[in-house]
Amino acid sequence: MSKILFVVSGADHWTLADGTRHPTGFWAEEAVAPYEAFKKAGDEVVVATPGGVVPTVDQGSLAPEVNGGQEGADRIAAALEAAPEFKHPVKLEDVDLDGYDAVFYPGGHGPMEDLAVDAASGRLLVEALDSGKPLAVVCHAPAAFLAATRPDGTNAFAGRQVTGFSNAEEAQAGFADKAKWLLETRLGEEGVNVQVGEPWAPKVVVDGNLLTGQNPASSAPLAEEVLKRLG
């Protein structure tokens, strides 16, 4: 049995370029699909958030149109409700990576608000990257890479191959012209090598122990990559 740390945004909004607050949080499928895969494999999941706040699910991620219909939406909402770990998170600041076998970051716009500037998350990411343990990050969660700097000020993920929510997807989602910054662009500015595929199609990029997924459809394949490494 492996013990897997889920680092989840504690934000309930995303501040747009004009200062308005867009209600958000974590994206349901990106948490539920990996959670179910790990639990099915017999693994333990621990959820950590900044300050230990109970994370907010993005209500948009529970809508029928993004879950293949009402039945799918009901199933994912029920799965989330039945996962006690999301109701009792630990404080991210108190996490000791030595106690875990892998780290998983679900996305949603929430990480753009808090994890992108969270020092505790940044330290954990550097430690996880250097540890050789599987580090899996999906969709908007690579925003957290922006806080992962080494003592010399360089980004720990500079030069690494990753994927994440693309500018094209952000445009199709209706936020590209409203956002303060775009994930694909910002990561590139930090020296991260971002590879993106077709909008909304599953895409996973593997670079050593660093595993990234582009979008919600990539969350289940990403979890499978983690399980392969945990054996």
Side-chain angles (χ1 to χ4, degrees):
M1 184 183 85
S2 298
K3 191 173 181 181
I4 302 170
L5 178 71
F6 272 42
V7 179
V8 182
S9 169
D12 62 4
H13 68 275
W14 175 35
T15 307
L16 301 177
D18 66 358
T20 60
R21 291 182 163 201
H22 172 68
T24 188
F26 69 90
W27 197 260
E29 180 181 4
E30 294 166 18
V32 170
Y35 174 85
E36 290 183 330
F38 297 142
K39 297 293 273 191
K40 184 179 178 183
D43 296 330
E44 180 183 351
V45 171
V46 174
V47 172
T49 62
V53 302
V54 176
T56 300
V57 63
D58 188 318
Q59 290 300 310
S61 69
L62 299 175
E65 54 268 28
V66 297
N67 289 292
Q70 189 63 52
E71 187 177 335
D74 291 345
R75 193 198 75 76
I76 211 155
L80 203 52
E81 184 62 29
E85 295 89 345
F86 289 91
K87 296 172 185 155
H88 304 284
V90 301
K91 285 185 179 180
L92 178 57
E93 297 81 357
D94 296 341
V95 165
D96 180 353
L97 184 64
D98 288 344
Y100 298 93
D101 301 294
V103 179
F104 194 97
Y105 274 67
H109 279 118
M112 302 276 281
E113 184 74 21
D114 62 352
L115 298 182
V117 294
D118 190 283
S121 172
R123 286 193 298 272
L124 179 73
L125 283 168
V126 175
E127 190 180 352
L129 189 65
D130 293 348
S131 73
K133 296 176 180 181
L135 170 61
V137 188
V138 68
C139 201
H140 285 94
F145 296 168
L146 298 174
T149 51
R150 296 197 182 277
D152 64 0
T154 60
N155 191 286
F157 293 86
R160 302 304 291 260
Q161 305 293 325
V162 310
T163 189
F165 203 68
S166 68
N167 290 356
E169 287 167 321
E170 203 70 87
Q172 290 178 23
F175 289 105
D177 58 348
K178 299 175 183 174
K180 287 183 181 177
W181 47 271
L182 297 176
L183 180 62
E184 181 184 341
T185 300
R186 274 294 297 279
L187 290 176
E189 290 169 354
E190 291 288 325
V192 184
N193 296 321
V194 186
Q195 306 172 17
V196 296
E198 287 297 313
W200 315 111
K203 182 176 178 66
V204 172
V205 170
V206 175
D207 182 352
N209 65 313
L210 175 61
L211 318 169
T212 50
Q214 180 170 323
N215 46 34
S218 307
S219 56
L222 185 61
E224 289 305 314
E225 287 292 337
V226 175
L227 288 170
K228 280 182 198 173
R229 280 155 180 78
L230 293 175

